[in-house]
Amino acid sequence: MSIRKVPTHQTYAELQQAYDHFNNALFDGGLPNCLITLQREKRSMGYFSSQRFVDAQGTYTDEIAMNPAYFAVVPLIETMQTLVHEMCHLWQFHFGKPGRGRYHNEEWASKMEAIGLMPSSTGQPGGARTGQLMADYAIEDGKFVKACADLLTQSFCLTWYDRFSHADAPRSAAERLDISVGGGAPPYIALPALTQALASSATSTSNGAQGDESLPVKPTGNSNRWKYVCPCGTSVWGKPKLKIICGSCESPFTSPDAARLSTNSESA
């Protein structure tokens, strides 16, 4: 008798497993539980909202929202990086003094660095350490990288991915560490079935299938450019049908746009 898959149970159990793992590894198990949700906030991989939910007994809990639009198109380490970034906001709300509004202050920046994530306004070395809109990158040999490697050795994965959300994700310097940590390629490249499903999603939508039109396959205004990605996770945009090789891993870039065209021509 086959076990029935329950996507809701699988998805939220996996996110809770990651939360518990990083809570123990990076915060000494001191963070309270929160409600993890999936939200498609444009141009945001996640956010933290304090005391966002309340139960029938009047007990409050915080929210950490993760954007599923990016799960398929960034390496797993970057999705985990987003989760830990928001966990650091949760830590500051309960044990520190958050900045006003969305401001990421020095206390938050110091905690981020202590757990192995370097705050950066650009997501790259040299960016501002504090500010309104902040990204980060993983510190080589830092606590986060080691904790992420431990999680991935437990056969951890995200089971479900959004077919219609092939978004252009903000990139970070974490991609340099993907191979050493594991799960170096974005899932839509590393998993053949997912590659095919994403490649065919544009065709399904054009044939009348219901998709999320607010999350286009290509960025608006760049219809004459393709996205190219190498196995180490590096991505670039360029003219159609380019043949390029990654300077970091010396592997050829592949393009999901080319895969979509190939699928369309084969089905024509």
Side-chain angles (χ1 to χ4, degrees), residues 40 68-73 159-167 188 193-207 209-212 215-217 256 260 263:
R40 290 187 179 88
Y70 296 108
F71 287 1
V73 295
T159 302
W160 295 95
Y161 299 91
D162 187 344
R163 289 179 57 216
F164 297 94
S165 57
H166 193 159
Y188 85 96
L194 183 59
T195 301
Q196 180 60 34
L198 286 172
S200 62
S201 63
T203 303
S204 299
T205 304
S206 64
N207 289 337
Q210 292 185 353
D212 188 344
L215 293 170
V217 171
R260 281 192 294 275
T263 301

Side-chain angles (χ1 to χ4, degrees), residues 2-265:
S2 61
I3 300 176
R4 180 183 178 187
K5 291 183 178 180
V6 183
T8 300
H9 292 175
Q10 288 178 305
T11 297
Y12 285 97
E14 289 160 357
L15 292 174
Q16 186 64 51
Q17 178 187 352
Y19 181 93
D20 292 340
H21 173 80
F22 289 118
N23 187 13
N24 291 326
L26 302 177
F27 299 91
D28 297 322
L31 298 185
N33 285 317
C34 69
L35 183 56
I36 301 173
T37 66
L38 299 180
Q39 305 284 351
R40 290 187 179 88
E41 286 287 322
K42 292 183 179 180
R43 301 304 302 167
S44 173
M45 294 181 71
Y47 65 80
F48 166 76
S49 184
S50 62
Q51 299 186 330
R52 187 61 182 261
F53 289 88
V54 63
D55 67 9
Q57 286 72 46
T59 303
Y60 293 93
T61 193
D62 309 309
E63 176 189 25
I64 287 181
M66 302 289 291
N67 191 341
Y70 296 108
F71 287 1
V73 295
V74 301
L76 185 55
I77 185 177
E78 290 197 34
T79 300
M80 297 299 99
Q81 197 174 321
T82 298
L83 175 63
V84 172
H85 177 123
E86 305 311 331
M87 290 173 70
C88 200
H89 283 297
L90 187 150
W91 168 86
Q92 188 177 38
F93 174 76
H94 288 278
F95 305 107
K97 295 182 179 180
R100 181 176 298 179
R102 291 188 173 186
Y103 187 77
H104 298 68
N105 61 19
E106 180 60 32
E107 180 187 59
W108 174 86
S110 295
K111 184 63 175 180
M112 285 281 286
E113 187 172 355
I115 63 174
L117 293 176
M118 181 61 70
S120 170
S121 58
T122 64
Q124 302 289 338
R129 179 181 167 84
T130 59
Q132 291 290 337
L133 300 175
M134 295 296 299
D136 55 79
Y137 61 90
I139 299 172
E140 191 168 2
D141 295 326
K143 290 183 178 180
F144 168 77
V145 170
K146 294 176 181 178
C148 199
D150 289 341
L151 177 65
L152 297 185
T153 58
Q154 299 173 14
S155 299
F156 173 83
C157 69
L158 295 179
T159 302
W160 295 95
Y161 299 91
D162 187 344
R163 289 179 57 216
F164 297 94
S165 57
H166 193 159
D168 182 26
R171 306 302 296 171
S172 79
E175 60 196 13
R176 298 199 306 263
L177 305 171
D178 290 339
I179 294 177
S180 63
V181 173
Y188 85 96
I189 290 178
L191 305 176
L194 183 59
T195 301
Q196 180 60 34
L198 286 172
S200 62
S201 63
T203 303
S204 299
T205 304
S206 64
N207 289 337
Q210 292 185 353
D212 188 344
E213 295 180 0
S214 67
L215 293 170
V217 171
K218 296 179 183 178
T220 303
N222 290 294
S223 59
N224 63 334
R225 300 168 66 207
W226 285 3
K227 184 175 183 179
Y228 299 86
V229 186
C230 81
C232 74
T234 302
S235 62
V236 298
W237 290 90
K239 295 180 179 180
K241 300 182 180 180
L242 288 179
K243 294 182 179 180
I244 50 179
I245 295 177
C246 178
S248 298
C249 67
E250 299 183 351
S251 298
F253 280 75
T254 58
S255 174
D257 299 299
R260 281 192 294 275
L261 288 178
S262 176
T263 301
N264 292 343
S265 62

